[in-house]
């Protein structure tokens, strides 16, 4: 069976749209109707007229699509595709944290569960985090969750004093400073670009810091340069496709793995076969409690409004 052909047939038959994150395996990126970062995917989910949204990403992303489209079917190829960052912020503990600090505006990074979004005033992504923090009056205290590295980067860039939740992404904390220095010594003409979820010492080495789409756009604007890329290695597929002549190396991880780079094992749980199966069987479906949808929708809509 030709999976690509069958997926295209089912997609047409069922009026489905496939949204994929840049960190998905190449064959899923190649068949998707739209490939993007969290902000772009949220925007596409908000405006789609498809009956079924096949979300090739991780659980919190599919949940966001469901919150924006409560009457549409949202399916995820593998229901176990979670997120270490989202897991680092349990709703009960976060509720206690926000209650212990009243009068704070609660800004949450999109990489969190629907329950956490429901406890938020506004959601942000790495593409718009600086803009959203800067939209809050200077005299208003802010809680920022769940990513402490992104939070620390925003504090450094804006000078805002924010209260940070102690969460992080294992992928973006997997980069080895020692290996990065060694790699840069071998390739001194390569510039380092990094995602703001990376730790501070990695960000200090970077020529450019930005979201997944921001990094792609930066490379696009500087195609004659060479880059070491410090984010999940799945981004290289789209970069190489769009900038075939630009030399790119993934930043090295602390662990010795086959690609010597940092990969999100949750993102890679989705496969072409699972994507076909979930479209065929219309399962597993993402369900979010109605009360959570109602509360979580407002902070997401505020983010989308500010991102126009």
């Amino acid at each position: 069976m030709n999976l690509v052909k069958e997926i295209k047939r089912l997609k047409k038959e069922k009026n489905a749209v496939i949204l994929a994150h840049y960190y998905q395996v190449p064959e899923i990126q190649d068949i998707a109707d739209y490939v993007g970062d969290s902000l772009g995917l949220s925007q596409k989910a908000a405006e789609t007229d498809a009956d079924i949204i096949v979300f090739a990403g991780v659980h919190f992303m599919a949940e966001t699509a469901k919150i924006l489209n409560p009457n549409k079917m949202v399916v995820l190829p593998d229901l176990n595709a979670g997120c270490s960052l989202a897991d680092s912020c349990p709703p009960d503990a976060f509720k206690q944290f926000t209650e212990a600090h009243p009068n704070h505006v609660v800004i949450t990074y999109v990489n969190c569960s629907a329950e956490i979004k429901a406890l938020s005033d506004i959601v942000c992504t790495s593409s718009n985090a600086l803009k959203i923090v800067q939209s809050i009056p200077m005299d208003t205290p802010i809680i920022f969750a769940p990513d402490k590295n992104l939070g620390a980067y925003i504090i450094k860039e804006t000078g805002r004093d924010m209260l940070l939740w102690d969460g992080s992404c294992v992928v973006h904390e997997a980069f080895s400073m020692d290996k990065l220095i060694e790699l840069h010594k071998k390739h001194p003409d390569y510039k380092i670009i990094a995602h703001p979820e990376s730790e501070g010492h990695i960000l200090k080495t970077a020529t450019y810091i930005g979201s997944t789409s921001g990094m792609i756009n930066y490379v696009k604007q500087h195609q004659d340069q060479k880059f070491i890329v410090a984010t999940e290695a799945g981004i290289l597929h789209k970069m190489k496709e769009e900038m075939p002549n630009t030399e790119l190396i993934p930043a090295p991880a602390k662990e010795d793995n086959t690609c010597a780079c940092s990969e999100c094992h949750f993102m890679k749980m989705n496969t072409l076969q699972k994507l076909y199966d979930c479209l065929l069987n219309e399962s597993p479906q993402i369900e979010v409690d109605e009360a959570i949808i109602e509360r979580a929708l407002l902070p997401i809509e505020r983010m989308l409004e500010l991102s126009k």
Side-chain angles (χ1 to χ4, degrees):
M1 178 174 68
N2 183 326
L3 280 176
V4 170
K5 196 175 165 188
E6 285 303 299
I7 288 167
K8 284 179 178 170
R9 180 184 65 79
L10 284 170
K11 198 176 67 161
K12 196 173 176 184
E13 200 177 279
K14 299 186 180 214
N15 186 29
V17 65
I18 299 170
L19 304 180
H21 194 275
Y22 286 123
Y23 300 166
Q24 291 294 290
V25 293
E27 53 269 31
I28 287 181
Q29 291 190 44
D30 291 343
I31 201 171
D33 296 289
Y34 176 79
V35 181
D37 63 1
S38 297
L39 176 60
L41 292 166
S42 298
Q43 288 167 327
K44 288 292 174 190
E47 65 191 36
T48 186
D49 57 2
D51 296 317
I52 300 174
I53 298 171
V54 181
F55 212 108
V58 291
H59 197 271
F60 77 79
M61 295 177 176
E63 270 187 342
T64 304
K66 184 65 179 176
I67 292 164
L68 288 163
N69 298 277
N71 301 319
K72 293 185 192 292
M73 185 190 296
V74 179
V75 290
L76 183 69
D78 192 322
L79 210 51
N80 294 316
C83 168
S84 61
L85 178 54
D87 291 346
S88 73
C89 193
D92 290 347
F94 188 64
K95 189 168 188 286
Q96 286 175 6
F97 184 72
T98 56
E99 285 170 356
H101 302 94
N103 310 320
H104 283 62
V105 166
V106 179
I107 301 178
T108 52
Y109 185 34
V110 72
N111 300 33
C112 63
S113 66
E115 289 87 353
I116 297 296
K117 290 181 177 76
L119 294 166
S120 310
D121 294 304
I122 188 161
V123 171
C124 72
T125 71
S126 51
S127 294
N128 58 24
L130 291 172
K131 186 180 180 183
I132 282 170
V133 167
Q134 285 165 330
S135 75
I136 307 298
M138 279 302 283
D139 56 353
T140 305
I142 296 172
I143 285 173
F144 187 87
D147 193 291
K148 63 181 179 187
N149 293 319
L150 178 58
Y153 169 72
I154 295 166
I155 289 169
K156 184 175 161 287
E157 291 297 305
T158 63
R160 291 298 291 263
D161 181 25
M162 302 194 300
L163 196 56
L164 304 182
W165 177 264
D166 188 15
S168 61
C169 159
V170 295
V171 174
H172 286 100
E173 286 201 333
F175 298 117
S176 163
M177 191 64 186
D178 294 342
K179 286 185 184 176
L180 186 59
I181 289 164
E182 279 305 306
L183 184 65
H184 201 251
K185 275 182 190 166
K186 281 184 203 162
H187 305 280
D189 51 339
Y190 280 62
K191 289 202 163 74
I192 297 167
I193 56 173
H195 192 282
E197 279 183 54
S198 304
E199 291 174 290
H201 56 264
I202 297 289
L203 298 182
K204 278 178 187 163
T205 68
T207 300
Y208 173 81
I209 299 165
S211 67
T212 318
S213 59
M215 292 168 83
I216 290 172
N217 289 332
Y218 185 81
V219 172
K220 231 181 235 175
Q221 289 157 14
H222 303 84
Q223 292 188 38
D224 54 333
Q225 296 177 13
K226 301 170 182 179
F227 297 98
I228 295 169
V229 183
T231 190
E232 210 275 353
I235 193 178
L236 294 173
H237 176 66
K238 187 56 73 178
M239 281 184 172
K240 284 173 179 169
E241 192 179 88
E242 295 193 14
M243 288 76 73
N245 301 318
T246 302
E247 292 187 42
L248 306 161
I249 306 175
K254 292 168 190 163
E255 297 298 321
D256 287 323
N257 54 18
T258 50
C259 75
C261 58
S262 205
E263 290 198 329
C264 173
H265 110 94
F266 289 120
M267 282 284 188
K268 303 300 191 259
M269 288 173 92
N270 297 319
T271 62
L272 211 53
Q273 181 66 52
K274 288 177 188 174
L275 195 149
Y276 166 77
D277 291 341
C278 86
L279 191 48
L280 177 71
N281 303 318
E282 299 179 5
S283 167
Q285 289 187 31
I286 296 294
E287 301 295 347
V288 181
D289 183 82
E290 269 181 46
I292 298 279
I293 286 179
E294 206 172 301
R295 295 206 309 275
L297 183 59
L298 194 60
I300 295 170
E301 284 181 334
R302 281 179 184 145
M303 170 190 82
L304 293 174
E305 189 55 41
L306 273 169
S307 302
K308 281 178 179 171

